[in-house]
Each structure stands twice: as C-alpha cells, then as structure tokens.
Amino acid sequence: MDQGTEVLGLDASEPVVQKLAHRLTHAAVVDTTDEESLRQLSVHEYDRAVVGIGSDLEASLLTASALINLKVPTIWAKAISHSHAKILTQIGVSHVVRPEHDMGKRVAHLVRGRMIDYIEFDDGFAMVKTSPPSSVLGSPLSETTIRSKFGVTVVAIKRPGEGFTYATADTILAPGDTIIVSGKVRDAERFADLV
C-alpha cells in the first residue's frame, strides 16, 4: 500500500480483519474457499492474489482453486510442505513459496561460515556474497579465469568503507573486499569454500 497498490485483505477471523483493516485499502471477513463470496468482493478484478494460508491445507488448496476459477492472472501461494507445493503447482498456481524451507536452506549455507549471504533462484542458480579467495587477489578479473576455472561470475564488489559497485574485467580484487558471485548452486558453493 505504501507504493500505491490497492490491497484487499480477506480472512475468516473477524478479530484478524479488525486488527489489520486500518492498514489495508479494503478488508473483509469471508470464507475464502467460497468462490461466490470472492466473486461478490470482485476478487476476479484484481491482477494478483496471495494465498497466505499455511496451516490449513484444505483451505489453502480450495482458496487457490477458487482464485484459478475466477481467472486471477497471477497467484502466489504459501506451501508448508513439498507435497503441498506440488499440488498448488499442479492446480495452476503461478508462484509457490515455501518460506520456512527456503529460509532453512539459506541459513544452512550461512551457518557454514564461508558465505555472508546466499540467494538461490530457480533452475539451480545462486548469488553468493562472500570474500574473494587469496588465489584471485591482485590481478584483473579478466586474468583470473574465475569464470572458466570455477564456473562463476563476479558481478559486484564492495571495498571496505565503500558501497557496492559493478565488477568489470579490469576490477582487481584485494584483501578485505566483499564480492557477489553468480553461477550454478554447486559452483557458487565450491567457490565460496575456497575462502
């Protein structure tokens, strides 16, 4: 809403709706599994819908199904398990998110201590914030063969006391730098392990 998006919040619990009503454009107490109730609230006129129901599998699936039947173009839905995510995908949900699972994977990478941050995208692609290994310090990136040797690309660099900037072929990495590399998950993990 802070960026001008109209937000309609729906929940079966009146206390929840009352608590959040002042923060939303519109809010209503409704059974979101009932397609006709959603139609009466003009849900079908919205471009996007988010199904944030995680604990009630049946309500999540029925709500997503109702939104699909109403032809809402883009639907995001939270899944609490692999099976839940699979079913949401099979019925046609555009984007399935598993926050606990995804955060768990991210934290597992960070706990190992070699990565400062880690983001995994679709199709096994990741971006890793890490320190450069000593073997690539002191030479321009074009001479380090990082891409051919390790399968990753250095996309950004942050020097101590400065902000991030794009890395170029002429960038020379130094001790204390922080870098962001991109590549296949396994390649990015192996590269970060060199630190």
Side-chain angles (χ1 to χ4, degrees):
M1 282 188 46
D2 290 342
Q3 297 176 10
T5 301
E6 184 176 337
V7 178
L8 168 63
L10 306 175
D11 199 283
S13 168
E14 187 169 343
V16 170
V17 171
Q18 287 178 354
K19 182 179 177 182
L20 297 174
H22 71 283
R23 297 173 58 195
L24 305 171
T25 311
H26 309 284
V29 177
V30 67
D31 175 4
T32 59
T33 67
D34 180 25
E35 189 174 324
E36 187 53 37
S37 295
L38 297 178
R39 187 181 314 283
Q40 289 174 6
L41 290 167
S42 301
V43 169
H44 58 283
E45 295 177 9
Y46 284 81
D47 296 329
R48 293 174 296 278
V50 176
V51 181
I53 304 167
S55 58
D56 186 341
L57 186 65
E58 181 179 4
S60 168
L61 296 172
L62 290 173
T63 299
S65 177
L67 293 168
I68 290 165
N69 289 341
L70 290 171
K71 300 192 181 343
V72 175
T74 305
I75 301 168
W76 290 78
K78 175 184 177 181
I80 58 171
S81 69
H82 175 72
S83 299
H84 187 191
K86 184 176 180 180
I87 294 168
L88 287 167
T89 301
Q90 287 174 338
I91 66 173
V93 170
S94 317
H95 304 278
V96 178
V97 180
R98 293 182 56 199
E100 291 85 0
H101 174 266
D102 296 343
M103 185 55 74
K105 283 177 66 175
R106 184 172 183 218
V107 169
H109 279 92
L110 300 178
V111 166
R112 292 177 55 216
R114 293 177 178 93
M115 297 180 202
I116 301 166
D117 208 348
Y118 173 89
I119 301 171
E120 187 174 329
F121 300 94
D122 293 336
D123 303 322
F125 190 83
M127 293 188 85
V128 173
K129 182 178 174 184
T130 189
S131 300
S134 59
S135 62
V136 300
L137 300 177
S139 298
L141 287 175
S142 60
E143 295 175 16
T144 63
T145 64
I146 289 176
R147 189 175 300 167
S148 61
K149 189 173 181 181
F150 302 108
V152 298
T153 302
V154 178
V155 294
I157 179 174
K158 181 179 188 301
R159 305 237 185 252
E162 298 178 14
F164 272 102
T165 186
Y166 294 106
T168 67
D170 297 327
T171 299
I172 298 173
L173 301 176
D177 287 347
T178 300
I179 57 174
I180 296 177
V181 298
S182 64
K184 293 180 181 175
V185 169
R186 292 285 176 226
D187 293 336
E189 289 171 342
R190 281 189 209 110
F191 184 78
D193 284 343
L194 297 172
V195 176

